[in-house]
Short mmCIF file of all heavy atoms in Angstrom, two decimals:
data_model
loop_
_atom_site.label_atom_id
_atom_site.label_comp_id
_atom_site.label_asym_id
_atom_site.label_seq_id
_atom_site.Cartn_x
_atom_site.Cartn_y
_atom_site.Cartn_z
N VAL A 104 -130.65 -185.51 -132.79
CA VAL A 104 -129.92 -186.48 -133.61
C VAL A 104 -130.59 -186.55 -134.97
O VAL A 104 -131.82 -186.66 -135.06
CB VAL A 104 -129.94 -187.86 -132.92
CG1 VAL A 104 -129.38 -188.93 -133.83
CG2 VAL A 104 -129.15 -187.81 -131.61
N VAL A 105 -129.78 -186.47 -136.04
CA VAL A 105 -130.33 -186.55 -137.39
C VAL A 105 -130.84 -187.97 -137.63
O VAL A 105 -130.10 -188.94 -137.48
CB VAL A 105 -129.27 -186.19 -138.44
CG1 VAL A 105 -129.81 -186.39 -139.85
CG2 VAL A 105 -128.80 -184.74 -138.25
N VAL A 106 -132.12 -188.10 -137.96
CA VAL A 106 -132.67 -189.43 -138.22
C VAL A 106 -133.00 -189.65 -139.69
O VAL A 106 -133.23 -190.78 -140.11
CB VAL A 106 -133.92 -189.72 -137.34
CG1 VAL A 106 -133.50 -189.92 -135.88
CG2 VAL A 106 -134.96 -188.63 -137.44
N ASN A 107 -133.02 -188.58 -140.46
CA ASN A 107 -133.32 -188.75 -141.88
C ASN A 107 -132.88 -187.52 -142.67
O ASN A 107 -132.92 -186.41 -142.16
CB ASN A 107 -134.83 -188.95 -142.05
CG ASN A 107 -135.17 -189.56 -143.40
OD1 ASN A 107 -134.28 -190.05 -144.11
ND2 ASN A 107 -136.43 -189.51 -143.77
N MET A 108 -132.41 -187.77 -143.90
CA MET A 108 -132.08 -186.66 -144.79
C MET A 108 -132.68 -187.01 -146.13
O MET A 108 -132.50 -188.10 -146.65
CB MET A 108 -130.57 -186.53 -144.95
CG MET A 108 -129.90 -185.95 -143.74
SD MET A 108 -128.29 -185.31 -144.18
CE MET A 108 -127.28 -186.33 -143.15
N ASN A 109 -133.42 -186.06 -146.68
CA ASN A 109 -134.10 -186.33 -147.93
C ASN A 109 -134.18 -185.03 -148.71
O ASN A 109 -134.94 -184.14 -148.35
CB ASN A 109 -135.50 -186.88 -147.60
CG ASN A 109 -136.15 -187.50 -148.82
OD1 ASN A 109 -135.70 -187.30 -149.94
ND2 ASN A 109 -137.21 -188.25 -148.58
N GLY A 110 -133.39 -184.93 -149.76
CA GLY A 110 -133.37 -183.69 -150.54
C GLY A 110 -133.01 -182.51 -149.65
O GLY A 110 -131.96 -182.52 -149.01
N ASP A 111 -133.90 -181.53 -149.60
CA ASP A 111 -133.64 -180.35 -148.81
C ASP A 111 -134.11 -180.49 -147.36
O ASP A 111 -134.01 -179.57 -146.58
CB ASP A 111 -134.37 -179.13 -149.42
CG ASP A 111 -133.45 -178.41 -150.41
OD1 ASP A 111 -132.24 -178.70 -150.40
OD2 ASP A 111 -133.96 -177.57 -151.17
N ARG A 112 -134.61 -181.68 -147.03
CA ARG A 112 -135.19 -181.84 -145.71
C ARG A 112 -134.30 -182.69 -144.80
O ARG A 112 -133.91 -183.79 -145.16
CB ARG A 112 -136.57 -182.47 -145.82
CG ARG A 112 -137.41 -182.14 -144.59
CD ARG A 112 -138.81 -182.65 -144.77
NE ARG A 112 -138.80 -184.10 -144.79
CZ ARG A 112 -139.91 -184.83 -144.87
NH1 ARG A 112 -141.08 -184.27 -144.97
NH2 ARG A 112 -139.82 -186.15 -144.86
N VAL A 113 -133.99 -182.15 -143.62
CA VAL A 113 -133.24 -182.90 -142.61
C VAL A 113 -134.17 -183.08 -141.42
O VAL A 113 -134.73 -182.12 -140.90
CB VAL A 113 -131.98 -182.11 -142.17
CG1 VAL A 113 -131.20 -182.89 -141.12
CG2 VAL A 113 -131.10 -181.78 -143.36
N THR A 114 -134.34 -184.34 -141.00
CA THR A 114 -135.23 -184.60 -139.87
C THR A 114 -134.40 -184.87 -138.63
O THR A 114 -133.51 -185.71 -138.62
CB THR A 114 -136.16 -185.80 -140.18
OG1 THR A 114 -136.80 -185.56 -141.42
CG2 THR A 114 -137.21 -185.97 -139.09
N VAL A 115 -134.69 -184.11 -137.56
CA VAL A 115 -133.93 -184.21 -136.32
C VAL A 115 -134.85 -184.67 -135.20
O VAL A 115 -135.94 -184.11 -135.00
CB VAL A 115 -133.33 -182.82 -135.95
CG1 VAL A 115 -132.57 -182.89 -134.64
CG2 VAL A 115 -132.43 -182.30 -137.07
N ASN A 116 -134.43 -185.73 -134.49
CA ASN A 116 -135.15 -186.16 -133.29
C ASN A 116 -134.62 -185.33 -132.12
O ASN A 116 -133.45 -185.40 -131.78
CB ASN A 116 -134.92 -187.66 -133.06
CG ASN A 116 -135.57 -188.17 -131.78
OD1 ASN A 116 -136.27 -187.44 -131.09
ND2 ASN A 116 -135.33 -189.42 -131.46
N THR A 117 -135.49 -184.52 -131.52
CA THR A 117 -135.04 -183.57 -130.51
C THR A 117 -135.17 -184.11 -129.08
O THR A 117 -134.77 -183.46 -128.14
CB THR A 117 -135.84 -182.26 -130.60
OG1 THR A 117 -137.23 -182.56 -130.55
CG2 THR A 117 -135.52 -181.53 -131.91
N ASP A 118 -135.78 -185.28 -128.91
CA ASP A 118 -135.93 -185.86 -127.57
C ASP A 118 -135.78 -187.37 -127.69
O ASP A 118 -136.66 -188.04 -128.22
CB ASP A 118 -137.30 -185.50 -126.98
CG ASP A 118 -137.52 -186.12 -125.60
OD1 ASP A 118 -136.63 -186.84 -125.11
OD2 ASP A 118 -138.59 -185.87 -125.02
N MET A 119 -134.65 -187.88 -127.20
CA MET A 119 -134.37 -189.31 -127.37
C MET A 119 -135.38 -190.20 -126.63
O MET A 119 -135.52 -191.36 -126.95
CB MET A 119 -132.96 -189.65 -126.89
CG MET A 119 -131.86 -188.92 -127.62
SD MET A 119 -131.90 -189.20 -129.39
CE MET A 119 -131.02 -190.74 -129.52
N PHE A 120 -136.03 -189.64 -125.63
CA PHE A 120 -137.03 -190.43 -124.90
C PHE A 120 -138.30 -190.61 -125.73
O PHE A 120 -139.14 -191.42 -125.40
CB PHE A 120 -137.39 -189.75 -123.56
CG PHE A 120 -136.35 -189.99 -122.51
CD1 PHE A 120 -135.53 -188.97 -122.08
CD2 PHE A 120 -136.20 -191.25 -121.95
CE1 PHE A 120 -134.57 -189.19 -121.11
CE2 PHE A 120 -135.25 -191.48 -120.97
CZ PHE A 120 -134.43 -190.45 -120.56
N ASP A 121 -138.44 -189.81 -126.78
CA ASP A 121 -139.65 -189.87 -127.58
C ASP A 121 -139.30 -189.83 -129.07
O ASP A 121 -139.00 -188.77 -129.62
CB ASP A 121 -140.55 -188.68 -127.20
CG ASP A 121 -141.85 -188.71 -127.98
OD1 ASP A 121 -142.04 -189.61 -128.83
OD2 ASP A 121 -142.67 -187.81 -127.74
N PRO A 122 -139.35 -191.00 -129.74
CA PRO A 122 -138.97 -191.05 -131.16
C PRO A 122 -139.86 -190.19 -132.05
O PRO A 122 -139.52 -189.92 -133.19
CB PRO A 122 -139.10 -192.54 -131.51
CG PRO A 122 -139.83 -193.19 -130.40
CD PRO A 122 -139.73 -192.31 -129.20
N ASN A 123 -141.02 -189.77 -131.52
CA ASN A 123 -141.92 -188.95 -132.33
C ASN A 123 -141.65 -187.45 -132.23
O ASN A 123 -142.27 -186.66 -132.94
CB ASN A 123 -143.38 -189.22 -131.93
CG ASN A 123 -143.76 -190.66 -132.21
OD1 ASN A 123 -143.43 -191.20 -133.26
ND2 ASN A 123 -144.40 -191.29 -131.25
N GLN A 124 -140.73 -187.08 -131.33
CA GLN A 124 -140.37 -185.65 -131.24
C GLN A 124 -139.40 -185.33 -132.37
O GLN A 124 -138.19 -185.41 -132.20
CB GLN A 124 -139.71 -185.34 -129.89
CG GLN A 124 -140.65 -185.35 -128.71
CD GLN A 124 -141.74 -184.29 -128.83
OE1 GLN A 124 -141.50 -183.20 -129.32
NE2 GLN A 124 -142.93 -184.63 -128.37
N ARG A 125 -139.94 -184.98 -133.52
CA ARG A 125 -139.09 -184.72 -134.69
C ARG A 125 -139.36 -183.34 -135.25
O ARG A 125 -140.49 -182.88 -135.26
CB ARG A 125 -139.39 -185.76 -135.77
CG ARG A 125 -138.94 -187.12 -135.33
CD ARG A 125 -139.28 -188.16 -136.36
NE ARG A 125 -138.58 -189.39 -136.00
CZ ARG A 125 -138.29 -190.35 -136.86
NH1 ARG A 125 -138.64 -190.23 -138.11
NH2 ARG A 125 -137.65 -191.42 -136.46
N VAL A 126 -138.28 -182.73 -135.72
CA VAL A 126 -138.41 -181.43 -136.35
C VAL A 126 -137.86 -181.56 -137.77
O VAL A 126 -136.77 -182.10 -137.97
CB VAL A 126 -137.60 -180.36 -135.57
CG1 VAL A 126 -137.63 -179.03 -136.32
CG2 VAL A 126 -138.14 -180.19 -134.16
N ASN A 127 -138.62 -181.11 -138.73
CA ASN A 127 -138.14 -181.10 -140.12
C ASN A 127 -137.51 -179.75 -140.41
O ASN A 127 -138.13 -178.71 -140.24
CB ASN A 127 -139.29 -181.34 -141.09
CG ASN A 127 -139.75 -182.78 -141.05
OD1 ASN A 127 -138.93 -183.69 -140.98
ND2 ASN A 127 -141.04 -182.99 -141.07
N VAL A 128 -136.26 -179.82 -140.84
CA VAL A 128 -135.51 -178.60 -141.09
C VAL A 128 -135.36 -178.44 -142.61
O VAL A 128 -135.03 -179.40 -143.30
CB VAL A 128 -134.12 -178.71 -140.44
CG1 VAL A 128 -133.24 -177.56 -140.87
CG2 VAL A 128 -134.25 -178.77 -138.92
N ASN A 129 -135.63 -177.25 -143.09
CA ASN A 129 -135.53 -176.97 -144.52
C ASN A 129 -134.14 -176.39 -144.81
O ASN A 129 -133.82 -175.31 -144.37
CB ASN A 129 -136.64 -175.99 -144.89
CG ASN A 129 -136.83 -175.92 -146.39
OD1 ASN A 129 -136.28 -176.74 -147.14
ND2 ASN A 129 -137.59 -174.96 -146.83
N ARG A 130 -133.33 -177.16 -145.54
CA ARG A 130 -131.92 -176.78 -145.74
C ARG A 130 -131.64 -175.34 -146.16
O ARG A 130 -130.74 -174.72 -145.61
CB ARG A 130 -131.27 -177.72 -146.75
CG ARG A 130 -130.95 -179.03 -146.11
CD ARG A 130 -129.54 -179.40 -146.41
NE ARG A 130 -129.45 -180.85 -146.37
CZ ARG A 130 -128.32 -181.52 -146.33
NH1 ARG A 130 -127.18 -180.88 -146.39
NH2 ARG A 130 -128.34 -182.82 -146.27
N PRO A 131 -132.39 -174.81 -147.12
CA PRO A 131 -132.10 -173.42 -147.52
C PRO A 131 -132.24 -172.42 -146.37
O PRO A 131 -131.69 -171.32 -146.44
CB PRO A 131 -133.14 -173.15 -148.61
CG PRO A 131 -133.51 -174.49 -149.14
CD PRO A 131 -133.41 -175.43 -147.98
N GLN A 132 -132.95 -172.82 -145.30
CA GLN A 132 -133.10 -171.90 -144.17
C GLN A 132 -132.06 -172.14 -143.07
O GLN A 132 -132.11 -171.54 -142.00
CB GLN A 132 -134.52 -172.04 -143.57
CG GLN A 132 -135.57 -171.41 -144.48
CD GLN A 132 -136.95 -172.00 -144.26
OE1 GLN A 132 -137.19 -172.74 -143.32
NE2 GLN A 132 -137.87 -171.66 -145.16
#
Side-chain angles (χ1 to χ4, degrees):
V104 171
V105 175
V106 289
N107 198 13
M108 286 200 241
N109 194 345
D111 269 347
R112 203 174 67 177
V113 180
T114 307
V115 179
N116 176 4
T117 54
D118 179 359
M119 300 303 276
F120 281 109
D121 181 358
N123 297 317
Q124 288 298 323
R125 292 177 168 203
V126 174
N127 287 319
V128 171
N129 194 11
R130 283 230 207 193
Q132 287 156 10

